[in-house]
């Protein structure tokens, strides 16, 4: 539920370092290198992703959701240790390929679908590739959220706000507390129904749902009132839970406040 956003710094993309004048590649082969990187994401293994970047020279990853440049294998792996928890899969929406003497670049706009939450995130990207030990690898990778979404937030309709409850309810149905905790923003606050302890970080929120999900709850909104502001929205009203473990039904008042958080 909700979110904050990371504002990237403006970064100059350096001229790629030639690997070899004999390193030739076609435009379609350059684009296929993104597919290899995306397939590495799908493994869920940060080591496989980090292996797509050069290691004999200094690589450069300027990631979407971190202010820290990653310039070696361990730094890149550490970034993807967290990012892969979202189960991202990317798709290039538009891009431009350039091929030089021993290098190639691909830049444009891509969109990620986060399998863990269902969220979609657009970003600008640039990849520079060179050959290392006969294999085309990423020398420089820059990713940043769309500037319009930073300035204005992601637009949303009343129906879309109400559908966010459905995503949260679907997460409950998995009976996986991590999936539910992933629906909350980095700075989220959960004031739960059956606990007097405010939950103010991922670990505390996950801990609450470890026990609550044992009841196999499924919710239904009975009365909803939506308000939409700049970069935020809220849904308040009355919902009812059916506890699959006992058959018991429980009504409660609710309020969800959402903000757009770059994934």
């Amino acid at each position: 539920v909700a979110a904050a956003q990371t504002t990237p710094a403006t970064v100059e993309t350096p001229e790629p370092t030639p690997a070899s004048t004999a390193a030739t590649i076609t435009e379609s082969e350059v684009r296929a290198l993104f597919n290899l990187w995306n397939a590495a994401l799908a493994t869920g293994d940060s080591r496989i992703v980090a292996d797509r970047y050069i290691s004999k020279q200094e690589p450069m990853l300027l990631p979407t959701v971190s202010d820290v440049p990653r310039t070696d294998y361990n730094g890149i792996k550490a970034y993807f240790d967290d990012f892969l928890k979202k189960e991202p899969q990317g798709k290039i929406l538009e891009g431009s390929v350039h091929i030089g003497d021993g290098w190639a670049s691909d830049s444009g706009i891509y969109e990620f679908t986060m399998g863990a939450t269902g969220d979609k995130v657009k970003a600008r990207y640039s990849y520079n590739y060179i050959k290392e030990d006969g294999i085309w690898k990423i020398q420089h990778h820059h990713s940043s959220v769309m500037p319009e979404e930073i300035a204005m937030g992601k637009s949303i309709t009343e129906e879309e706000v109400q559908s966010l409850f459905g995503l949260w309810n679907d997460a409950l149905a998995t009976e996986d507390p991590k999936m539910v905790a992933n629906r909350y923003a980095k700075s989220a606050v959960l004031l739960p129904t059956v606990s007097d302890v405010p939950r103010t970080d991922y670990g505390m929120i996950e801990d609450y749902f470890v026990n609550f999900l044992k009841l196999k709850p499924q919710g239904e909104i009975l009365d909803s009132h939506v308000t939409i502001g700049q970069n935020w929205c809220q849904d308040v009203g009355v919902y009812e839970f059916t506890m699959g473990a006992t058959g018991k039904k429980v009504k409660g008042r609710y309020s969800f406040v959402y903000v757009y958080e770059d994934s």
Side-chain angles (χ1 to χ4, degrees):
V1 179
Q5 59 200 32
T6 302
T7 304
T10 302
V11 178
E12 295 292 335
T13 302
E15 186 73 9
T17 304
S20 166
T21 56
T24 58
I25 192 170
T26 67
E27 184 172 331
S28 62
E29 288 171 336
V30 173
R31 181 55 52 81
L33 294 174
F34 171 81
N35 297 332
L36 290 176
W37 179 80
N38 201 35
L41 296 183
T43 68
D45 188 334
S46 59
R47 296 169 300 179
I48 295 175
V49 183
D51 282 340
R52 294 304 311 159
Y53 294 77
I54 62 171
S55 58
K56 292 188 174 180
Q57 300 180 46
E58 183 177 271
M60 176 63 74
L61 168 63
L62 301 170
T64 310
V65 292
S66 172
D67 294 331
V68 180
R70 310 300 171 118
T71 57
D72 59 23
Y73 176 92
N74 289 333
I76 292 171
K77 178 184 177 298
Y79 173 75
F80 286 107
D81 283 341
D82 290 327
F83 186 59
L84 292 180
K85 293 175 183 177
K86 301 177 185 293
E87 300 176 11
Q89 274 294 277
K91 176 175 66 172
I92 289 178
L93 302 180
E94 58 181 279
S96 179
V97 171
H98 298 276
I99 299 170
D101 187 5
W103 61 270
S105 70
D106 186 358
S107 58
I109 297 170
Y110 52 17
E111 181 179 68
F112 285 97
T113 299
M114 306 300 175
T117 63
D119 291 342
K120 291 182 180 287
V121 179
K122 287 183 182 178
R124 298 177 294 181
Y125 74 85
S126 63
Y127 295 92
N128 292 338
Y129 302 99
I130 62 173
K131 262 192 172 181
E132 184 175 84
D133 295 331
I135 300 173
W136 285 96
K137 290 193 174 186
I138 301 166
Q139 179 199 38
H140 181 96
H141 178 194
H142 176 209
S143 182
S144 60
V145 294
M146 302 295 286
E148 292 86 357
E149 291 185 357
I150 296 170
M152 299 301 296
K154 196 172 184 179
S155 61
I156 193 168
T157 67
E158 182 171 333
E159 292 75 18
E160 288 171 333
V161 173
Q162 291 172 328
S163 72
L164 293 173
F165 173 82
L167 293 176
W168 179 78
N169 202 35
D170 288 345
L172 296 183
T174 68
E175 299 181 23
D176 183 345
K178 294 184 185 300
M179 293 288 285
V180 185
N182 283 337
R183 294 300 312 159
Y184 290 78
K186 294 181 180 71
S187 58
V189 175
L190 168 64
L191 303 173
T193 309
V194 293
S195 171
D196 294 332
V197 180
R199 311 298 171 120
T200 57
D201 61 31
Y202 179 93
M204 295 178 72
I205 293 171
E206 179 188 359
D207 178 71
Y208 171 74
F209 284 107
V210 168
N211 290 317
F212 185 61
L213 292 180
K214 293 176 182 177
L215 299 174
K216 299 184 178 179
Q218 274 294 277
E220 177 188 5
I221 288 179
L222 304 179
D223 184 32
S224 168
H225 302 273
V226 171
T227 305
I228 300 172
Q230 184 172 347
N231 299 338
W232 65 271
C233 57
Q234 70 175 12
D235 185 0
V236 301
V238 178
Y239 55 15
E240 182 178 66
F241 282 97
T242 300
M243 306 301 178
T246 63
K248 185 178 180 180
K249 291 182 180 288
V250 179
K251 284 185 181 179
R253 293 176 295 181
Y254 73 85
S255 63
F256 292 95
V257 177
Y258 304 97
V259 296
Y260 180 67
E261 183 171 82
D262 172 40
S263 300

